[in-house]
Amino acid sequence: MPSSPTAATTIVVGGGVAGLICARELARSGHAVTLLERADTVGGRVRTTLHNGFRLDHGFQVLFSAYPTLVAALDLPALRLRTFQPAARIADGSGIDGGRIDGSRIDRPGKTALIGDALADSSLLLPTLVAPQLSLFDKLRMLRLRYAATSMSFDDCFRDQFDRVTTRAYLEASGFSARAIDSFFAPFYGGILLDRSLATSASVLLYTFKMLAQGRTVVPELGMGAITAQLAAQLPANTVRANAAVAEINCVAERITGVTLQSGETLSADRVVLACDPPTIAILAAAIGVNVAVPASQLGCTTVYFASSAPLLHGTALWLNSAPNATVSHAITISNVAPSYAPAGKALTAATVLGDAAKLLDDELVARVRADLGAMSGAPEPVQRAELLAVWRVPYSQYAQPPGSTVRRVQPQTNQPGLFIASEIGHTSSLEGAARGGVAAAHAVLGSAKSR
């Protein structure tokens, strides 16, 4: 006799956002589920390490409060969110900013500029109007882009007319000047998309613009790891097994029977959901003859953390490095946004590096980052004195999303009965994409259970 959905066991492999959301949905439907995480704690790429009183996210990350699926699963008040200013401060790297390490400043025209969403924060109207990186016509086009993005649904953003062109081509076709594209969009959206060339599908530009306009950019008081910790806390007791790396999926007579751990232990299950990183998904699935067409290219980044007695960069807006030879793509003194990220009397600055520079050896990388931060802030000496806390490398931060990515999305149900995929590769390379992938996989599992 077929087992009921409540008696059947599903194993979720991977404790990142997608796996946690999938396990949460299954457990709430009365489905028996075990989540296996190869590390000592859940979180995947969304973790925070406490280091000498500093909270170091595993790479600079933020939460968009407008993310519908992920936010619906969270208790936002309990996270005690801290908010970024809805703006970006553009530095040209010349080092003539006039910024002072005590937080006061006298900006010299043309060296840094604050560009932001004046509809969300009226104090940004004047600095945005006078910012030289955007002409008056560029600023009007920005308003038009904001209106267009906020008028669209999620699915509208990913229509073929947008997905078939690059972000750069879309901006050019929208009339933005070369200066606006190179000095604002390349560093700002290059930081979000991890691609300063703006070769990413224009659909992702529209979707992220929509999220930025409809909500705020935030971090939890205790770090981004608080998000995955909260999701894990919503699961029934004993659902999660840490330090449980999966070696292979077990399949007998074309039927999923469970998994074998690297320790040699075998766990039985009627269904297995792969919620690990895309390359690992492909490897585990291929071993039982299932081809999962995961994205071929991956994008990495490196974040360098510094401690100082006073903020190296002022304000709560993200700093962008518009220099064409930039090593640092974007940076912020994150303790300005969330003081709990640093011990009392200390400041924590995060500087993120993309592309080939992110792969440099530590000594050369840190030297270049210090030089860039000093030039961006106009105060090189405090940057040189700052204490290096960590060089955090994330080789797989996102997968590349070139034009045509929408048609290459991976479905949650594979052609192997009992094997499912919970991943951002079913949507977009983002926290919201991971959450949507987790929900989609859970619904596929529940649907298959009912059909038995």
Side-chain angles (χ1 to χ4, degrees):
M1 175 181 292
S3 56
S4 67
T6 54
T9 299
T10 297
I11 287 177
V12 176
V13 182
V17 169
L20 290 165
I21 291 282
C22 180
R24 174 184 182 272
E25 294 294 307
L26 292 174
R28 290 192 166 202
S29 297
H31 198 91
V33 58
T34 298
L35 186 148
L36 304 177
E37 168 55 48
R38 65 185 174 186
D40 56 358
T41 59
V42 298
R45 284 167 281 169
V46 187
R47 300 173 188 261
T48 302
T49 293
L50 192 61
H51 175 76
N52 295 335
F54 293 91
R55 299 186 187 278
L56 308 182
D57 292 332
H58 289 206
F60 174 71
Q61 297 176 338
V62 296
L63 171 66
F64 293 158
S65 68
Y67 277 157
T69 308
L70 179 56
V71 166
L74 296 172
D75 179 355
L76 294 185
L79 292 174
R80 297 188 295 277
L81 299 174
R82 300 296 179 256
T83 305
F84 290 72
Q85 189 176 26
R89 178 165 288 279
I90 301 174
D92 65 6
S94 67
I96 313 177
D97 173 25
R100 297 170 182 161
I101 201 62
D102 65 0
S104 64
R105 59 185 174 83
I106 305 175
D107 290 342
R108 300 185 185 179
K111 297 307 174 183
T112 69
L114 190 65
I115 298 175
D117 186 350
L119 296 179
D121 181 348
S122 59
S123 70
L124 294 168
L125 179 59
L126 181 58
T128 299
L129 285 175
V130 301
Q133 285 81 0
L134 300 179
S135 69
L136 176 60
F137 291 110
D138 284 325
K139 289 157 189 170
L140 293 174
R141 293 181 189 107
M142 190 79 78
L143 282 174
R144 187 173 62 189
L145 179 60
R146 186 188 196 277
Y147 175 77
T150 54
S151 299
M152 295 180 191
S153 68
F154 175 88
D155 290 334
D156 287 340
C157 292
F158 290 89
R159 291 202 304 261
D160 181 65
Q161 69 187 93
F162 306 124
D163 186 44
R164 69 188 178 203
V165 299
T166 67
T167 289
R168 180 175 289 275
Y170 178 80
L171 292 171
E172 289 172 346
S174 299
F176 284 98
S177 68
R179 184 176 188 186
I181 293 172
D182 292 335
S183 65
F184 176 75
F185 286 100
F188 186 68
Y189 279 94
I192 295 173
L193 311 176
L194 303 187
D195 170 30
R196 286 174 71 109
S197 74
L198 303 180
T200 301
S201 164
S203 288
V204 185
L205 165 76
L206 290 169
Y207 178 57
T208 52
F209 207 107
K210 175 181 175 69
M211 294 297 97
L212 286 164
Q214 292 184 332
R216 302 303 294 266
T217 302
V218 297
V219 291
E221 183 180 67
L222 300 183
M224 289 293 288
I227 292 172
T228 45
Q230 187 186 96
L231 292 173
Q234 297 176 24
L235 298 174
N238 303 317
T239 296
V240 176
R241 281 191 57 177
N243 297 309
V246 172
E248 60 183 1
I249 302 166
N250 300 328
C251 189
V252 176
E254 300 184 353
R255 183 174 67 86
I256 296 293
T257 60
V259 301
T260 298
L261 304 183
Q262 289 183 1
S263 65
E265 181 183 0
T266 298
L267 302 176
S268 297
D270 298 279
R271 287 167 286 273
V272 171
V273 179
L274 296 179
C276 31
D277 61 83
T280 302
I281 287 175
I283 291 169
L284 289 174
I288 58 169
V290 177
N291 176 45
V292 179
V294 302
S297 300
Q298 62 188 52
L299 300 173
C301 66
T302 297
T303 300
V304 182
Y305 286 103
F306 294 102
S308 55
S309 57
L312 300 180
L313 301 171
H314 60 77
T316 59
L318 191 66
W319 283 64
L320 309 179
N321 188 357
S322 66
N325 60 344
T327 295
V328 172
S329 174
H330 51 276
I332 191 167
T333 298
I334 188 65
S335 54
N336 290 348
V337 178
S340 52
Y341 269 59
K346 293 288 185 179
L348 175 65
T349 297
T352 299
V353 181
L354 309 178
D356 291 339
K359 303 173 186 176
L360 293 171
L361 296 178
D362 283 7
D363 287 349
E364 182 178 0
L365 176 68
V366 172
R368 287 197 189 184
V369 168
R370 286 188 192 273
D372 272 15
L373 286 179
M376 292 167 67
S377 67
E381 290 184 9
V383 176
Q384 292 298 324
R385 293 196 304 267
E387 176 190 357
L388 174 66
L389 289 178
V391 176
W392 211 282
R393 299 179 185 272
V394 186
Y396 198 115
S397 300
Q398 293 182 24
Y399 58 84
Q401 301 173 89
S405 295
T406 298
V407 298
R408 293 191 289 271
R409 288 176 178 171
V410 173
Q411 298 303 307
Q413 191 153 6
T414 71
N415 58 10
Q416 166 62 58
L419 182 65
F420 302 85
I421 308 297
S423 173
E424 62 187 353
I425 58 179
H427 295 274
T428 58
S429 194
S430 63
L431 295 181
E432 174 66 9
R436 286 174 178 261
V439 170
H443 290 173
V445 168
L446 294 171
S448 72
K450 289 177 181 178
S451 67
R452 294 184 62 185

